[in-house]
Amino acid sequence: MTERHITRAGQGGDRDVYEYALLRVVPRVERGEFINAGVLVYCRAKAYVGARTHLDEARLLALDPRADVAGIRAALDAVERVCGGGPGAGQAAGDDPGRRFRWLVAPRSAMVQPGPVHTGLTTDPQAETERLLELLVR
């Protein structure tokens, strides 16, 4: 069990505020069932936006044996590329990290959907991305 602390404004020490959202795979949108398949993290203070994904194919196929696994993997890979910026991000390449994060967490009706945005404090947003992937997805 990990300790959780409530901090008040100015009590974060050297930690910075970050926002995160889970990426959910909804193989049959009409049913509303989903599995967590990734996490998006944004830290304005560090100009960081990152995503890590992990698709549990067995769980996906338990929800929908005819799921388009290759298409879902491609959509998850695209999210990671948009977070990375540069040429792999397509039209989002020139956008700042915050704008890329906001675009990725915008509600959509598709097989890969963002969950609600939550906040936390961290000294290392990249390590927090890995921690959240292990805690909430794997």
Side-chain angles (χ1 to χ4, degrees):
M1 185 165 124
T2 61
E3 287 188 39
R4 299 184 76 160
H5 300 280
I6 297 173
T7 60
R8 296 194 172 115
Q11 292 182 333
D14 60 348
R15 297 180 295 169
D16 295 306
V17 173
Y18 71 93
E19 299 172 70
Y20 74 94
L22 287 169
L23 290 172
R24 300 171 172 174
V25 173
V26 186
R28 294 178 56 194
V29 176
E30 69 277 7
R31 290 184 58 129
E33 299 169 328
F34 65 86
I35 62 169
N36 293 338
V39 64
L40 295 163
V41 173
Y42 170 59
C43 180
R44 181 178 178 191
K46 303 278 191 205
Y48 172 86
V49 63
R52 290 283 288 124
T53 61
H54 171 79
L55 182 60
D56 185 332
E57 194 173 315
R59 289 182 69 201
L60 172 63
L61 294 174
L63 289 179
D64 183 1
R66 295 177 296 175
D68 179 5
V69 175
I72 292 167
R73 283 191 192 283
L76 292 170
D77 289 344
V79 169
E80 289 194 46
R81 284 194 312 275
V82 167
C83 285
Q91 290 181 317
D95 290 341
D96 64 78
R99 188 171 173 112
R100 291 195 310 268
F101 179 78
R102 296 285 170 241
W103 182 77
L104 289 167
V105 298
R108 56 185 47 91
S109 180
M111 282 200 286
V112 176
Q113 300 177 0
V117 176
H118 305 281
T119 60
L121 295 171
T122 187
T123 57
D124 184 348
Q126 187 170 3
E128 194 66 20
T129 305
E130 294 295 332
R131 186 188 76 80
L132 290 171
L133 181 75
E134 289 298 321
L135 179 68
L136 302 172
V137 177
R138 291 190 182 196

